[in-house]
Amino acid sequence: MKEQAHDVLERELEISQWVKAYTLEDVNLGSSDKPRIVKITKDLAISDWSALITLLIEYQYVFAWSYNDMKGLKQYYQHQIHLHTDAWLIQQRRYRMNPNYAARVKEETEKLLHVGFIRPVKRSTCLSPIVVVLKKNGQIRVCVGYWKLNAATI
């Protein structure tokens, strides 16, 4: 478990170092009353930079700029996860959470429920705990710790 968490942290560090290597500029693809900010590297040639912004403006409807832009799961799909023959379904306990994050996690969960991106389940044979990661901008990222499920997957 600690090794897997260490691997995730190492990967996050690699990504953050890669991002730091570039000088980024905030570009508003929307309007002043409805901003849609993206970060674009300044290391592009001017013609490439202009072409990229034109492309992003043309296809900005593809991105989810807020939770309300996420249309949710209109249809439910079923998929199968193939497990090793000797594996059993695991119901893991919840991880201890920093009390300062509890209200923010509840707020994020309620937003996702409200827009239909997630839905409640009455019963589940396999449970994985959530992992809360603090972003650099002070927001939180709520992830699911699928380490044990992944270890049992073929």
Side-chain angles (χ1 to χ4, degrees), residues 27-37 60 65-66 68-69:
V27 177
N28 184 5
L29 301 178
S31 60
S32 59
D33 60 324
K34 194 173 182 182
R36 294 182 169 176
I37 307 297
Q60 65 179 305
W65 298 97
S66 71
N68 291 328
D69 292 340

Side-chain angles (χ1 to χ4, degrees), residues 34-47:
K34 194 173 182 182
R36 294 182 169 176
I37 307 297
V38 295
K39 295 186 181 297
I40 300 176
T41 181
K42 291 182 177 181
D43 298 334
L44 290 174
I46 293 175
S47 59

Side-chain angles (χ1 to χ4, degrees), residues 43-58:
D43 298 334
L44 290 174
I46 293 175
S47 59
D48 293 338
W49 196 82
S50 298
L52 179 59
I53 290 177
T54 302
L55 181 74
L56 289 173
I57 289 172
E58 182 179 350

Side-chain angles (χ1 to χ4, degrees), residues 104-131:
R104 292 162 70 183
V105 168
K106 184 175 182 179
E107 180 183 324
E108 288 293 314
T109 306
E110 287 174 356
K111 285 180 187 176
L112 292 170
L113 280 167
H114 176 72
V115 297
F117 197 69
I118 61 173
R119 63 184 172 93
V121 177
K122 291 181 183 176
R123 261 181 262 148
S124 178
T125 55
C126 183
L127 297 174
S128 295
I130 64 168
V131 179

Side-chain angles (χ1 to χ4, degrees), residues 7-140:
D7 291 344
V8 169
L9 290 174
E10 275 188 1
R11 180 71 180 131
E12 288 286 329
L13 181 62
E14 288 174 13
I15 292 169
S16 67
Q17 288 173 346
W18 179 81
V19 170
K20 286 179 187 175
Y22 293 96
T23 306
L24 300 176
E25 181 176 340
D26 288 349
V27 177
N28 184 5
L29 301 178
S31 60
S32 59
D33 60 324
K34 194 173 182 182
R36 294 182 169 176
I37 307 297
V38 295
K39 295 186 181 297
I40 300 176
T41 181
K42 291 182 177 181
D43 298 334
L44 290 174
I46 293 175
S47 59
D48 293 338
W49 196 82
S50 298
L52 179 59
I53 290 177
T54 302
L55 181 74
L56 289 173
I57 289 172
E58 182 179 350
Y59 291 102
Q60 65 179 305
Y61 65 88
V62 184
F63 301 102
W65 298 97
S66 71
Y67 282 113
N68 291 328
D69 292 340
M70 290 191 258
K71 302 301 181 198
L73 303 173
K74 299 299 181 203
Q75 299 176 3
Y76 297 107
Y77 299 95
Q78 182 176 357
H79 68 279
Q80 295 179 352
I81 300 174
H82 299 284
L83 302 175
H84 294 287
T85 55
D86 59 341
W88 64 91
L89 298 177
I90 300 169
Q91 291 192 3
Q92 292 178 258
R93 293 185 326 194
R94 293 188 309 175
Y95 293 153
R96 293 179 70 189
M97 184 184 309
N98 182 333
N100 297 330
Y101 298 156
R104 292 162 70 183
V105 168
K106 184 175 182 179
E107 180 183 324
E108 288 293 314
T109 306
E110 287 174 356
K111 285 180 187 176
L112 292 170
L113 280 167
H114 176 72
V115 297
F117 197 69
I118 61 173
R119 63 184 172 93
V121 177
K122 291 181 183 176
R123 261 181 262 148
S124 178
T125 55
C126 183
L127 297 174
S128 295
I130 64 168
V131 179
V132 179
V133 179
L134 185 62
K135 296 181 186 178
K136 288 182 183 179
N137 63 3
Q139 294 179 339
I140 60 168

